[in-house]
Amino acid sequence: MLENALLLIAVLALTGVLGALWRAREGRARAVSSELVLDAASLGAPLAPGVTLVQLSSATCASCPPTARALAEVAARHEGVGVVELRVEERLELVRALDVTRTPTVLALDASGRVLARASGGMRRAQVDALLERCLEPLALR
Amino acid sequence: MPVPVPASSSDPVPGIDPRGPRFGAAVTAVLLAIVLLLGPTTAGGVLLAVIAALFALGTARGAQGSLQGLLFRALVRPRLPPPTELEDPAPPRFAQGVGLAITGLGALLGLTLAPVAIPVAAALALVAALLNAALGLCLGCEVYVRLVRVRAATARA
């Protein structure tokens, strides 16, 4: 009985650690250094003149609709920023090429389709702002 | 593994209160903690099988139709303010299916071949249930894409 109780305590502690890690990662933008390009043809949608935010969603994803709303709201506040939402079930070739393992995954593309940054997990508006800032700053400097 | 069919636009699925599945996950977590306390025993295996049966109900009818979901509607929701937004029932239903797979396999193996499968399955399901109840972690967000990729790779091979 004692070892069972200790096992339960260990599992609870592990859950706390995993939860903290998950929360720190969720929706956080990171820069992409590869020269990966997603042009309008491979995207299946036109690219915006500034930044295009591409969201990969799935049918079983509870955080996808709120993330899509956050992207649309932030995009509406910026000139030249567009949003494209794709379903992973329909775009397996993209999912594999981009190594998407969870939904939502959001990519930020420049006007030529180069992937500038990405984030995965549910995103709040402030996190979408942070993702966009990463992409707009270098543009403003040019 | 049952994969819920996305709702077609001609067949609108009414949204559910997102707090329901999270309350249900908390109830399930308590039951799973008891399984861990019972350890690799017949009693633990039987309770794990009962939990698997609850997940089976939730997989068939959606989390809102599970016993925990009915409990939420009868006892908890009347005491809460109305939900600020509703959510698609497909993601929590997918999570019920994942729970069914883990606890069902654990109970089956644990009661026949290897009793150690009981605490192992209970521990895995407990981590997922607690993260869901406390933080809103969504299994359909975390594992569904991997399943789709594996299925597509197997279909090609």
Side-chain angles (χ1 to χ4, degrees), chain A residues 31-128:
Chain A
V32 172
S33 51
S34 79
E35 291 296 306
L36 204 57
V37 173
L38 272 180
D39 56 14
S42 54
L43 196 61
L47 289 164
V51 174
T52 304
L53 299 171
V54 180
Q55 177 178 339
L56 286 142
S57 301
S58 67
T60 60
C61 166
S63 35
C64 288
T67 301
R69 282 198 294 274
L71 293 188
E73 280 176 37
V74 172
R77 278 196 272 113
H78 290 83
E79 192 77 23
V81 175
V83 180
V84 177
E85 188 173 4
L86 305 173
R87 304 206 73 88
V88 290
E89 296 90 343
E90 293 159 8
R91 305 305 301 270
L92 271 177
E93 80 293 348
L94 275 185
V95 166
R96 247 183 250 113
L98 298 162
D99 195 26
V100 172
T101 57
R102 56 204 293 258
T103 50
T105 287
V106 175
L107 307 164
L109 314 181
D110 69 9
S112 60
R114 199 162 61 88
V115 182
L116 300 172
R118 69 189 277 173
S120 73
M123 294 181 85
R124 288 172 282 108
R125 239 171 304 166
Q127 291 176 312
V128 182

